[in-house]
Amino acid sequence: MSQSQIPFLSVPFKRTTDVDWTFPLKSYIAHVYQEDPEKYSEEAYTLNRLRQDTRGAGKDLTGRDLLYRYFGQLELLDLRFPVDERNVKVLFNWYDAFDGRAIAQYSLAYEKASILFNIGATLSSIAAAQNRAEADGRKKTFNYFQAAAGVFQYINDNFLHAPSQDLSRETVKMLSELMLAQAHECFLESSIREKKRDGLVAKLASHAVWVYGNLIDAMQDAVGRGVGIEKAWITLCQVKHKYYQALTQQHKAAFCESEKQFGEQVARLQVSESAAKEASGKLATNLIHQIQSSNHANGTISADGGSVLQELAKSLAATSKEKCTSATRDNDMIYHDNVPQESILTPSDRLKAVKPIPMSELYGQNDIGKVIGPDIFASLVPLSVHESASLYSEEKAKLLRTESERCELAEAELKTSLEYMNLPASLEKFRKQEDQSLDELMTPSKEVRQWAEDIAIEESADRTSIREIIQTLEGFKRHATQKLDEATLSLDQEMHECEKMRVKYGELWTQQPSSQIAGDFRRDIKNHRQTLEQANISDSEIVQRLDKVSKDIDILKKGSKSSDLERAFTETASAVLDQGSQNADTQSLLDLDMTPDNGSGNSNSNMKSKLNSVESALEKLRNIESERKETFQDLRQRSMDDDISNVLILNKKTSNVEQQIFTAELEKYNPHQQRISATIQQQKQAIRELADAFKALVEDKDAEKLQKRYGQVDQRRQTVITRFNNARTQYFEVREDLNKGIQFYSNASDVIDSLCQNVKRFVQERDQERKQLAEKLDTERSVREQEMLKQKIESYNPSAPSMQPVDSTDGMANLTNQARFMSLNSSTGSTTTSNAPPTFATAYSPYGQPSSITGSQQYPQPPLGMPLQQQQQQQQQPSMPPPPTPYQQQPQPYSTPSPYVSHQQQQPPMLPPKPPQQHHHVPSAPMSYSQPQQQYPYAAPNPTPEQLQQQQPYRPPNPNESYYRSAPQQPYAYQASGSATATAPPAPLNQSPCGQPQPPPLQQSFQPQPPGGQQPYYATGQQQHHHHQQQQHQQQPPLPNPYWQQQNSGGSLLD
């Protein structure tokens, strides 16, 4: 028959109301973490859902896990958010577990303590609901009661100043003791069922009596403090106190029986019977009544708990009575042992079999992470944790730097050792002796073949060869130079036309000189020419670089399989071997192999064995180096992936723990450090072994001879490879530079074309302006001449009828002759008839001044053949200066004297006679000028030495009057192809004392002609005169007509 279970008490739950985590958390994230709070909406919702789950958590393992998950997230939340009345303001409202009073606070500690209280209550309910008839049920009950005691003990140790009575330290301590007492009962029950020794059972039961006695006092004190503990709890503890007292005495009596203490046995059985009757009597009856009246003590006691406990007490009382009757009879009849009084019975010893299970052991190491889950706000790391993580990163960096220096030092030691022994390159000389051939040394290397293929591809038909690139470059260069020449010629021609018109019209010509407005164009042209000259120098250097390696490039561009490339290596190796053959008196090149002279097989085997030893040592060193590199890379990767932020967050509230955490975390890198140290030691040993093996190899006589022969050929071969490498490098560098040059000339051509367009537009505008101004001046001059002619005719012939405007050329000529005749008659005062033909030479003034020649004077004709100078001396007569003309009386724009004109001893202009016109047939007459006749037409007289001393320096034009301002202000120097260089711009024309422009003084230096063969406008009068004489007396190609013979040329009033 199954035995009834002793009823256990479970702790009541705390109830709560809803709270909202979302708004307070988002506000704190926005203000403190300076992040977008909407990014954490899902996290806030998850936390809200976890709290909702805790409200409906059941009294089972699922409910326990839900409560613990929420508690774990609160612990992580507390490391990032200070939940209080000033920061994350959340009001937590909980009801007292015993009296139901509501208590609300803004403290996260209150929330966590309440959740822990419910975890302890859940564990107590799970323990009380277990079936203890089986051993597994009793074991679970035992563990869950201890875990519940651990939870209440954690609340007692970590939370102070509880706002409610159920969370006060006295209450939670009483609850922890109650859970331990019930766990002890479970262990006692298991001992009785397993029929442990009576002495052990008596000790366990005695401890239960002592614990329940203390619990009765603690509960009564709690009731006195106002804790709403059910009365049934106290009554139950009293019943159990008596029950376990009876059980203790019963098993102690059995122990006394085994110890032959029959009198004490009888006394303890009597006490056991008495205590059992008390437990099953009034106390049990009151317990049954209280359970029924308090709704099973608020669900903390089973409904039949009182009845079961009363039946167990009655059964224990009957058993004790029966054993007491039997023991008394045996003692009275057989043992006659003294039966002591109850008051002098020795209390039974106590044995405690339980202890609280800590919170950290509530779950296993693997289970706790699954229960709590990932950190909801893992992406939010507090600033203090960041700082601690930075310190840890610095510690890792120090460790990495130390290991990196060790690895680099070991690698440098290995590299130095191998370079000293020239390994593994020097082993090639010894390996070649196996095939006894020099074919590899006489063939191009893979690198050279690849270089040849690259150049062959570049020089193929479907690509642009480097010579074609050079031709393209030259074409761009010629185009740019030609454009600059055309622009310069256009500017020179325009300036010539402008100054020719200025000479023709004198001070009436108001067009601005070209030298003042075309300076920017000339400076731009000069700058472009200088740039092209510098670029031409660079081009020459590039081509010279190409020419230096052209022979090697010609070999490489034939391809990797060309015979010329093969011949370059074969001839080099043959030259060395031929020299060696002559020194060694050997038969031929092919007989020179790499075998030792003695040809001994033992010698070859010995050298091969030594060679294998060196190669084995090298392979060992490579493996050691590879292992060290892999170890260090693994160490680096692990250190980069190492993040202890979570550990630091979990230990955030623990002071002075950072250094301990750093030390513990860095210990995981000890295996890597030890492996690196081992490889360094192994490398040192392997280097010593390699040095010994290599020394033995090179000291061998046959190996020495082999090394010498191989070295000579290989040295020459490397020289050829280096030469081709240089050719390949120069080829691609030159090709790249040429492409850059083409791009440069292309851009320069665009700029020069734009400049030429501007010059062309400028010249066209100037031509149009000059044409319009000439037409205007011609029109005005015709009107003025007609008016003046009319006035002169009227003044010398008052009776003459009024003249009509002359339209024809012949009429104008007649009027001119008549006016001249009348003027001469009036000036001399002689009486002549109006019909007499004039007998004077026509004096022509291109500046609009009347002639001073009188017609009344008759001069003898000079004999034929007399020099012109003598004729002039004979005809020279004093004359009066001409009267001022209307042109001189009117202010003109060029009336300011030129700085070239002397301010002292200014002479009137010496005007030459106009060339004779064949259609007039007017006989020549002597000139009446006071100075000798000049030998060239229309040129100013040569200045005297005094005038040259008094001439002022040339005033350059104002640079602010330039036409374009896009180019820098630099002097212009034009250099025509195949001619001298004009180092200065043409000098401006001098002015006569009357304000008329004159040609500049004769220059002694040679002035080059501009392109086109035309005489520049600034040529001196003497040169014009010689040119005029040569044109008259020699058979030469005709030059352009002087300006007085050109069509539409302007003249004076008398022309």
Side-chain angles (χ1 to χ4, degrees):
M1 183 179 72
S2 63
Q3 185 177 358
S4 300
Q5 297 183 153
I6 297 178
F8 288 147
L9 292 173
S10 61
V11 181
F13 272 62
K14 288 175 68 67
R15 296 179 295 107
T16 184
T17 58
D18 266 343
V19 297
D20 182 21
W21 281 102
T22 305
F23 179 75
L25 290 177
K26 288 185 176 181
S27 300
Y28 188 81
I29 291 172
H31 289 86
V32 177
Y33 286 96
Q34 302 293 325
E35 294 190 22
D36 184 11
E38 297 301 325
K39 293 168 54 179
Y40 299 93
S41 299
E42 184 66 24
E43 288 80 354
Y45 171 76
T46 302
L47 189 62
N48 266 339
R49 186 178 59 190
L50 285 178
R51 194 177 191 281
Q52 290 291 340
D53 293 341
T54 59
R55 294 186 61 198
K59 299 180 180 182
D60 51 15
L61 295 177
T62 303
R64 177 203 63 177
D65 294 342
L66 289 174
L67 291 169
Y68 196 82
R69 178 178 302 170
Y70 179 61
F71 173 75
Q73 292 297 334
L74 290 180
E75 285 286 307
L76 298 174
L77 186 74
D78 192 19
L79 300 174
R80 296 177 175 85
F81 299 93
V83 182
D84 51 31
E85 193 172 359
R86 293 185 300 274
N87 297 289
V88 181
K89 192 174 181 181
V90 180
L91 183 62
F92 303 106
N93 187 19
W94 287 89
Y95 296 93
D96 193 287
F98 295 103
D99 56 18
R101 287 183 297 177
I103 303 296
Q105 278 193 349
Y106 291 100
S107 173
L108 185 63
Y110 179 46
E111 176 81 354
K112 292 193 290 185
S114 300
I115 294 297
L116 287 175
F117 187 92
N118 283 348
I119 291 175
T122 302
L123 291 173
S124 65
S125 298
I126 295 173
Q130 295 297 321
N131 181 15
R132 301 194 301 277
E134 299 177 358
D136 186 63
R138 293 192 296 271
K139 182 178 179 181
K140 290 181 180 180
T141 303
F142 178 74
N143 291 329
Y144 287 136
F145 273 129
Q146 290 183 105
V151 173
F152 290 117
Q153 184 66 37
Y154 184 84
I155 297 174
N156 180 59
D157 296 340
N158 293 277
F159 297 95
L160 303 176
H161 311 292
S164 58
Q165 289 295 333
D166 55 354
L167 294 177
S168 63
R169 301 191 65 181
E170 294 80 4
T171 303
V172 295
K173 184 177 181 180
M174 181 267 296
L175 293 176
S176 179
E177 293 295 333
L178 176 61
M179 297 299 104
L180 288 177
Q182 294 184 137
H184 188 81
E185 284 185 75
C186 183
F187 186 80
L188 176 59
E189 184 178 356
S190 297
S191 299
I192 295 174
R193 288 179 178 273
E194 294 174 3
K195 296 181 179 181
K196 299 294 183 180
R197 291 177 300 159
D198 292 328
L200 176 62
V201 175
K203 291 179 181 180
L204 294 172
S206 176
H207 181 75
V209 173
W210 180 82
V211 170
Y212 274 108
N214 294 335
L215 284 174
I216 293 171
D217 296 337
M219 289 180 183
Q220 290 175 353
D221 292 341
V223 172
R225 295 193 312 272
V227 180
I229 295 178
E230 295 289 342
K231 293 181 180 180
W233 281 33
I234 300 176
T235 305
L236 179 62
C237 290
Q238 291 174 350
V239 173
K240 287 188 175 183
H241 179 266
K242 292 296 181 180
Y243 177 78
Y244 288 115
Q245 184 179 3
L247 188 60
T248 301
Q249 295 300 334
Q250 186 181 36
H251 286 278
K252 187 65 175 178
F255 178 75
C256 290
E257 182 181 6
S258 62
E259 294 294 328
K260 307 300 181 179
Q261 299 175 1
F262 301 105
E264 187 177 351
Q265 176 190 8
V266 174
R268 292 188 179 278
L269 288 173
Q270 292 174 355
V271 175
S272 174
E273 181 183 0
S274 173
K277 288 181 179 180
E278 291 181 10
S280 60
K282 185 178 180 179
L283 290 175
T285 302
N286 293 335
L287 177 60
I288 294 172
H289 178 70
Q290 291 171 359
I291 290 174
Q292 294 176 355
S293 61
S294 62
N295 191 18
H296 315 302
N298 197 18
T300 58
I301 306 177
S302 58
D304 58 346
S307 302
V308 171
L309 189 56
Q310 186 178 29
E311 292 297 329
L312 291 174
K314 288 180 178 180
S315 175
L316 180 59
T319 304
S320 297
K321 181 178 181 181
E322 180 181 356
K323 289 183 178 181
C324 182
T325 302
S326 174
T328 301
R329 183 175 61 250
D330 291 342
N331 186 46
D332 291 341
M333 295 179 62
I334 302 172
Y335 305 114
H336 303 287
D337 194 5
N338 185 25
V339 179
Q341 295 292 327
E342 180 181 358
S343 59
I344 64 174
L345 290 174
T346 302
S348 178
D349 296 334
R350 297 184 292 109
L351 179 62
K352 185 177 180 180
V354 294
K355 63 178 181 179
I357 296 177
M359 279 281 297
S360 58
E361 299 178 8
L362 185 60
Y363 292 93
Q365 293 295 331
N366 298 328
D367 296 335
I368 189 170
K370 296 179 181 179
V371 173
I372 297 177
D375 189 358
I376 296 178
F377 295 95
S379 58
L380 287 176
V381 180
L383 180 60
S384 60
V385 176
H386 274 301
E387 294 175 353
S388 299
S390 299
L391 295 176
Y392 179 69
S393 298
E394 182 60 28
E395 294 294 330
K396 292 190 297 182
K398 290 180 181 179
L399 186 145
L400 282 177
R401 284 194 295 269
T402 301
E403 299 304 319
S404 177
E405 291 175 358
R406 295 173 61 195
C407 293
E408 290 176 358
L409 183 61
E411 185 176 356
E413 181 181 358
L414 175 60
K415 184 178 180 181
T416 303
S417 301
L418 295 179
E419 289 180 353
Y420 177 76
M421 293 181 284
N422 194 20
L423 291 175
S426 60
L427 297 182
E428 294 295 330
K429 307 169 186 178
F430 303 102
R431 294 193 184 100
K432 297 300 180 182
Q433 62 89 24
E434 297 180 2
D435 55 6
Q436 300 181 2
S437 175
L438 291 175
D439 291 342
E440 289 191 10
L441 297 179
M442 295 183 178
T443 57
S445 62
K446 295 181 179 179
E447 295 82 0
V448 175
R449 292 186 183 276
Q450 184 62 41
W451 300 338
E453 286 295 332
D454 296 340
I455 295 179
I457 292 174
E458 294 294 335
E459 294 292 323
S460 60
D462 56 344
R463 299 285 184 92
T464 303
S465 66
I466 195 167
R467 295 299 174 183
E468 293 175 351
I469 296 176
I470 294 176
Q471 294 176 2
T472 304
L473 184 73
E474 294 296 331
F476 275 106
K477 190 189 307 182
R478 288 193 299 271
H479 172 78
T481 305
Q482 181 181 0
K483 285 292 184 181
L484 291 178
D485 293 341
E486 292 176 359
T488 303
L489 180 60
S490 298
L491 292 176
D492 290 343
Q493 291 176 352
E494 191 278 329
M495 184 171 59
H496 175 72
E497 293 296 329
C498 178
E499 295 305 323
K500 186 175 70 174
M501 300 301 289
R502 193 179 309 281
V503 171
K504 177 180 178 180
Y505 291 101
E507 61 183 5
L508 297 178
W509 187 256
T510 59
Q511 188 179 26
Q512 192 174 3
S514 299
S515 60
Q516 298 180 5
I517 59 178
D520 289 340
F521 288 127
R522 297 188 181 274
R523 279 189 291 272
D524 289 344
I525 293 173
K526 178 182 178 182
N527 293 336
H528 287 308
R529 289 188 185 275
Q530 293 177 350
T531 302
L532 292 178
E533 290 175 0
Q534 295 175 359
N536 188 33
I537 295 174
S538 300
D539 297 341
S540 300
E541 294 177 355
I542 294 174
V543 174
Q544 289 177 3
R545 287 163 47 197
L546 180 64
D547 293 339
K548 290 180 180 179
V549 295
S550 59
K551 295 181 179 179
D552 294 335
I553 292 177
D554 292 339
I555 295 175
L556 291 175
K557 71 180 183 181
K558 294 179 180 179
S560 60
K561 299 180 180 180
S562 66
S563 58
D564 293 341
L565 185 63
E566 298 282 348
R567 191 180 305 110
F569 283 87
T570 304
E571 291 177 352
T572 302
S574 299
V576 177
L577 294 178
D578 289 342
Q579 182 179 1
S581 299
Q582 293 175 4
N583 295 334
D585 294 328
T586 55
Q587 290 84 354
S588 64
L589 170 65
L590 299 178
D591 295 334
L592 258 180
D593 54 22
M594 309 303 290
T595 59
D597 293 339
N598 54 12
S600 174
N602 295 331
S603 177
N604 290 339
S605 301
N606 186 22
M607 188 175 66
K608 184 175 181 181
S609 175
K610 294 177 181 179
L611 180 62
N612 292 335
S613 299
V614 175
E615 291 179 345
S616 300
L618 277 176
E619 185 66 23
K620 183 178 180 181
L621 282 173
R622 292 193 189 97
N623 295 335
I624 293 173
E625 184 182 12
S626 176
E627 181 182 359
R628 183 172 59 249
K629 289 182 179 179
E630 291 177 359
T631 303
F632 181 74
Q633 290 298 330
D634 185 61
L635 174 63
R636 184 193 297 274
Q637 187 63 36
R638 286 180 180 271
S639 64
M640 292 175 60
D641 298 338
D642 189 9
D643 185 11
I644 63 170
S645 297
N646 292 332
V647 179
L648 294 173
I649 290 174
L650 294 176
N651 294 274
K652 179 183 176 183
K653 295 187 176 181
T654 305
S655 59
N656 301 326
V657 74
E658 290 183 355
Q659 199 60 38
Q660 299 177 7
I661 294 175
F662 294 167
T663 304
E665 292 293 332
L666 292 176
E667 288 180 355
K668 59 176 171 280
Y669 300 119
N670 288 340
H672 294 79
Q673 295 175 291
Q674 295 173 0
R675 287 169 57 189
I676 292 175
S677 299
T679 57
I680 293 175
Q681 295 298 328
Q682 294 174 5
Q683 176 179 296
K684 291 180 179 180
Q685 181 64 27
I687 289 176
R688 288 193 292 268
E689 296 176 358
L690 175 62
D692 296 339
F694 186 72
K695 182 179 180 181
L697 177 63
V698 297
E699 290 180 352
D700 187 79
K701 294 182 179 180
D702 297 332
E704 184 178 358
K705 184 182 298 184
L706 180 67
Q707 184 177 1
K708 181 178 180 180
R709 294 181 179 179
Y710 184 90
Q712 292 176 352
V713 178
D714 185 65
Q715 183 178 2
R716 291 297 186 91
R717 184 172 185 267
Q718 292 299 324
T719 302
V720 176
I721 293 175
T722 303
R723 194 184 71 195
F724 282 122
N725 185 23
N726 179 54
R728 190 262 308 184
T729 303
Q730 291 293 331
Y731 174 82
F732 285 102
E733 289 181 356
V734 167
R735 192 179 183 93
E736 182 180 0
D737 293 341
L738 290 175
N739 289 327
K740 291 180 180 179
I742 290 176
Q743 183 64 35
F744 165 78
Y745 282 115
S746 176
N747 297 335
S749 297
D750 295 340
V751 177
I752 293 174
D753 290 343
S754 177
L755 175 62
C756 292
Q757 291 295 330
N758 293 335
V759 171
K760 182 179 180 181
R761 184 167 60 253
F762 166 74
V763 171
Q764 291 176 353
E765 292 175 358
R766 293 276 296 175
D767 292 342
Q768 184 68 22
E769 180 185 359
R770 189 163 51 251
K771 181 179 180 182
Q772 294 176 359
L773 182 59
E775 291 177 354
K776 178 181 177 182
L777 293 178
D778 290 342
T779 303
E780 293 178 355
R781 185 183 60 184
S782 176
V783 174
R784 284 196 300 270
E785 288 181 350
Q786 292 182 18
E787 184 66 26
M788 291 178 63
L789 179 61
K790 180 180 178 181
Q791 292 177 2
K792 282 200 176 281
I793 293 174
E794 291 177 354
S795 63
Y796 290 102
N797 190 9
S799 62
S802 60
M803 297 181 64
Q804 298 299 327
V806 180
D807 295 333
S808 63
T809 305
D810 295 338
M812 179 61 66
N814 294 331
L815 290 175
T816 302
N817 294 330
Q818 183 179 359
R820 290 175 179 171
F821 178 75
M822 295 171 65
S823 175
L824 292 174
N825 291 334
S826 61
S827 62
T828 57
S830 61
T831 59
T832 58
T833 61
S834 59
N835 295 328
T839 60
F840 52 85
T842 304
Y844 175 74
S845 173
Y847 306 111
Q849 298 179 358
S851 174
S852 61
I853 302 176
T854 59
S856 61
Q857 297 178 355
Q858 299 294 329
Y859 299 95
Q861 294 294 331
L864 295 176
M866 181 180 292
L868 180 62
Q869 186 176 3
Q870 295 180 4
Q871 297 177 16
Q872 292 176 353
Q873 291 177 358
Q874 295 178 4
Q875 297 173 1
Q876 182 175 4
Q877 298 293 334
S879 61
M880 300 297 293
T885 64
Y887 292 110
Q888 294 174 333
Q889 296 175 1
Q890 297 177 0
Q892 298 298 329
Y894 290 92
S895 61
T896 303
S898 172
Y900 291 99
V901 180
S902 173
H903 296 284
Q904 300 178 3
Q905 299 178 1
Q906 294 183 355
Q907 300 295 332
M910 181 64 64
L911 300 179
K914 182 179 179 182
Q917 298 180 0
Q918 297 179 3
H919 63 280
H920 284 163
H921 301 283
V922 179
S924 61
M927 302 290 293
S928 61
Y929 289 98
S930 58
Q931 295 185 2
Q933 180 77 20
Q934 299 294 329
Q935 300 301 322
Y936 51 88
Y938 302 101
N942 291 334
T944 63
E946 291 80 3
Q947 292 176 341
L948 291 174
Q949 293 178 358
Q950 294 176 1
Q951 285 182 355
Q952 298 180 0
Y954 167 69
R955 180 180 63 85
N958 187 3
N960 295 326
E961 298 176 357
S962 59
Y963 190 74
Y964 287 94
R965 291 298 174 192
S966 60
Q969 303 294 331
Q970 298 180 1
Y972 170 74
Y974 171 73
Q975 180 177 0
S977 176
S979 64
T981 302
T983 60
L989 295 175
N990 295 338
Q991 291 183 354
S992 68
C994 298
Q996 302 301 332
Q998 299 184 29
L1002 291 175
Q1003 303 292 333
Q1004 298 300 327
S1005 62
F1006 170 72
Q1007 299 294 336
Q1009 294 184 357
Q1014 296 182 359
Q1015 183 73 10
Y1017 74 93
Y1018 47 81
T1020 61
Q1022 188 68 31
Q1023 293 172 351
Q1024 293 179 0
H1025 172 68
H1026 291 314
H1027 177 72
H1028 181 65
Q1029 291 180 348
Q1030 293 175 2
Q1031 183 180 10
Q1032 293 178 353
H1033 298 88
Q1034 298 180 5
Q1035 297 298 329
Q1036 293 181 356
L1039 295 176
N1041 294 330
Y1043 60 85
W1044 63 80
Q1045 294 181 358
Q1046 295 178 358
Q1047 295 181 0
N1048 298 329
S1049 62
S1052 69
L1053 175 64
L1054 302 179
D1055 183 13

